[in-house]
């Protein structure tokens, strides 16, 4: 995955001190980490958080060795509730079982020294990684939004902060459905990307029997007598396949419409802390991704996948952490200065 990286920079004994030094330098009141390995949590993170005055929770999938964590400064917050969200076959969205294996963690925090009725609903997630799986990620977003709404219904005065590696770029339908006012009109490209991927979409056909069927033009030129029993069989098979593809497309389009409508009906409109980052630093501006940074992930693939979303009616962003310049990251991270292939995002709210 990281052919540019030295063997030393990929080892935990090298990455560990770099990561802890970065956490110590930033020292935010709330931290959300993704892809936290159980072994590293037990021997490093949990001890560090306790020593530095943080409360912390971690949740992982049953089938994976890593998960997500939320930690908070105990001098400023106390935890009043939490919810672990599984995004696997035990859950359904729009009548369909999820075929992924991801998780989210929601922690409800109350301020300790300020208004006792004030607090935050903080969620952290790491959505399905596969680039073509926009449909599956939107299923996960619906599930996460439902869980967040459940907590907000219990604590209606609390603001929402949703963090994570959404594996979603700013031009994806998932981003638009999280951040744009209702109703959201998706473009053709976004809708096409939401169509569920089938095995046939991802694998080239190896059926030699239908590799070179007799074309209609060839049959027309030769006359109907050219349709032998074999060519008739091939033509009918091709027609059946085309009919099934069209029917499947109609079914998938209906599934997408239902999922998009559900997200619009049940999900709240959030705002991205880095959504206007390009206004602060124009060197990060792209027409495709509007105001978001050009990258939060800088490996072989470079682009924006990570976000801090928040309730714009209850919170305002005062500052965000500047992103490292590309000359510090090239040709990719991790390296001898950065412990992860993703850069840190930090926001200060008012």
């Amino acid at each position: 995955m990281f052919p540019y990286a030295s063997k030393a920079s990929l080892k935990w004994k090298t990455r560990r001190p770099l990561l802890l030094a970065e956490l110590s330098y930033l020292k935010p009141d709330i931290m959300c980490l993704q892809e936290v390995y159980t072994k590293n949590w037990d021997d490093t993170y949990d001890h560090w958080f306790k020593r530095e005055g943080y409360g912390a929770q971690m949740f992982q999938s049953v089938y994976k060795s890593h998960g997500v964590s939320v930690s908070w400064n105990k001098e400023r917050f106390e935890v009043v509730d939490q919810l672990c969200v599984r995004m696997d076959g035990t859950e359904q969205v729009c009548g369909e079982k999820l075929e992924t294996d991801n998780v989210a963690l929601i922690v409800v925090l109350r301020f300790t020294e300020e208004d006792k009725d004030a607090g935050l609903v903080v969620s952290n997630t790491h959505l399905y990684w596969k680039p073509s799986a926009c449909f599956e990620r939107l299923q996960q977003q619906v599930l996460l939004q439902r869980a967040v709404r459940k907590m907000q219904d219990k604590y209606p005065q609390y603001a929402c902060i949703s963090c994570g590696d959404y594996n979603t770029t700013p031009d994806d339908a998932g981003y638009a459905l999280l951040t744009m006012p209702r109703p959201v009109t998706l473009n053709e490209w976004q809708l096409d990307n939401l169509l569920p991927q089938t095995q046939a979409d991802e694998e080239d056909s190896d059926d030699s029997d239908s590799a070179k069927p007799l074309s209609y033009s060839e049959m027309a030129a030769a006359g109907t007598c050219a349709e032998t029993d074999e060519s008739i069989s091939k033509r009918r098979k091709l027609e059946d396949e085309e009919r099934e593809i069209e029917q499947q497309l109609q079914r998938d389009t209906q599934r997408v419409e239902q999922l998009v409508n559900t997200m619009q009906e049940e999900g709240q409109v959030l705002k991205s802390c880095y959504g206007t980052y390009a206004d602060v630093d124009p060197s990060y501006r792209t027409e495709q991704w509007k105001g978001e940074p050009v990258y939060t992930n800088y490996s072989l693939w470079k682009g924006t996948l990570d976000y801090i979303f928040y309730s714009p009616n209850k919170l305002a962003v005062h500052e965000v952490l500047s992103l490292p310049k590309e000359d510090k990251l090239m040709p990719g991270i991790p390296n001898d200065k950065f412990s992860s292939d993703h850069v840190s995002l930090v926001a200060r709210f008012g």
Side-chain angles (χ1 to χ4, degrees):
M1 291 179 64
F2 311 106
Y4 51 80
S6 66
K7 290 184 179 180
S9 66
L10 296 176
K11 292 182 177 179
W12 178 239
K13 67 178 182 180
T14 303
R15 296 175 56 238
R16 181 181 183 275
L18 291 174
L19 189 144
L20 294 182
E22 185 172 9
L23 297 185
S24 298
Y25 175 77
L26 296 173
K27 211 74 182 289
D29 287 327
I30 299 171
M31 280 193 239
C32 294
L33 305 180
Q34 301 86 39
E35 214 162 316
V36 178
Y37 281 84
T38 308
K39 182 180 184 303
N40 298 340
W41 177 264
D42 292 337
D43 65 23
T44 299
Y45 292 108
D46 192 33
H47 299 295
W48 187 88
F49 283 132
K50 289 176 180 176
R51 187 176 70 246
E52 298 298 321
Y54 286 88
Q57 293 288 343
M58 178 197 171
F59 180 54
Q60 71 180 83
S61 162
V62 177
Y63 306 104
K64 291 183 179 179
S65 58
H66 59 80
V68 298
S69 71
V70 177
S71 54
W72 57 93
N73 181 347
K74 292 198 291 186
E75 291 186 357
R76 292 212 63 193
F77 298 101
E78 59 181 349
V79 62
V80 296
D81 212 338
Q82 68 179 53
L83 180 63
C84 296
V85 183
R86 295 177 63 180
M87 300 173 177
D88 56 22
T90 64
E91 300 293 340
Q92 289 192 6
V93 174
C94 298
E96 296 186 37
K97 281 187 177 182
L98 271 67
E99 297 181 359
T100 52
D101 183 26
N102 298 78
V103 297
L105 176 62
I106 302 173
V107 177
V108 182
L109 302 172
R110 180 167 57 207
F111 288 98
T112 55
E113 297 180 356
E114 301 171 31
D115 183 355
K116 285 289 186 179
D117 291 328
L120 299 168
V121 176
V122 180
S123 70
N124 183 23
T125 192
H126 186 180
L127 299 187
Y128 188 48
W129 68 272
K130 203 167 188 178
S132 62
C134 294
F135 182 84
E136 288 78 7
R137 277 191 293 276
L138 191 55
Q139 286 181 313
Q140 294 180 333
Q141 284 185 212
V142 169
L143 199 63
L144 177 56
Q145 286 289 291
R146 285 177 179 172
V148 170
R149 179 59 59 85
K150 180 180 179 180
M151 290 291 99
Q152 287 191 298
D153 287 344
K154 291 179 67 174
Y155 307 94
Q157 70 275 32
Y158 287 14
C160 168
I161 298 176
S162 292
C163 304
D165 178 352
Y166 279 71
N167 273 313
T168 298
T169 55
D171 53 350
D172 282 345
Y175 181 91
L177 290 167
L178 268 177
T179 60
M180 292 181 64
R182 304 327 187 206
V184 180
T185 301
L186 300 177
N187 61 43
E188 184 178 353
W189 179 84
Q190 291 171 324
L191 289 171
D192 284 346
N193 280 350
L194 276 177
L195 289 172
Q197 300 294 306
T198 65
Q199 187 174 7
D201 293 327
E202 298 171 0
E203 296 179 0
D204 293 329
S205 174
D206 194 29
D207 187 356
S208 58
D209 185 47
S210 58
K212 294 182 180 180
L214 193 62
S215 71
Y216 292 121
S217 60
E218 289 172 332
M219 286 189 287
T224 55
C225 62
E227 279 205 286
T228 63
D229 289 344
E230 181 181 2
S231 65
I232 290 172
S233 175
K234 289 182 177 181
R235 175 171 59 80
R236 287 176 177 172
K237 181 179 180 182
L238 181 61
E239 289 172 347
D240 289 343
E241 290 174 350
E242 290 175 342
R243 190 178 301 110
E244 174 56 33
I245 290 172
E246 180 62 30
Q247 292 172 350
Q248 184 63 52
L249 178 60
Q250 291 177 1
R251 291 192 293 268
D252 287 346
T253 300
Q254 291 173 354
R255 293 167 66 197
V256 167
E257 289 176 353
Q258 184 180 13
L259 188 60
V260 168
N261 290 338
T262 300
M263 182 67 183
Q264 298 205 59
E265 292 167 3
E266 299 185 15
Q268 62 178 311
V269 179
L270 301 175
K271 195 170 183 179
S272 170
C273 289
Y274 280 77
T276 57
Y277 189 78
D279 295 339
V280 179
D281 189 343
S283 67
Y284 286 87
R285 182 176 300 284
T286 62
E287 181 58 31
Q288 182 184 17
W289 289 355
K290 308 301 180 184
E292 291 283 354
V294 180
Y295 54 78
T296 61
N297 173 271
Y298 205 92
S299 54
L300 285 178
W301 183 88
K302 299 167 178 61
T304 295
L305 301 172
D306 310 278
Y307 305 94
I308 305 173
F309 295 112
Y310 67 97
S311 306
N313 60 328
K314 293 183 178 179
L315 292 172
V317 176
H318 287 188
E319 295 176 298
V320 295
L321 179 70
S322 296
L323 300 184
K325 297 296 184 182
E326 283 198 78
D327 60 355
K328 305 295 183 184
L329 307 177
M330 292 179 176
I333 52 176
N335 58 23
D336 59 352
K337 293 183 174 61
F338 292 87
S339 62
S340 172
D341 57 327
H342 295 249
V343 297
S344 295
L345 303 181
V346 183
R348 188 188 303 277
F349 292 96

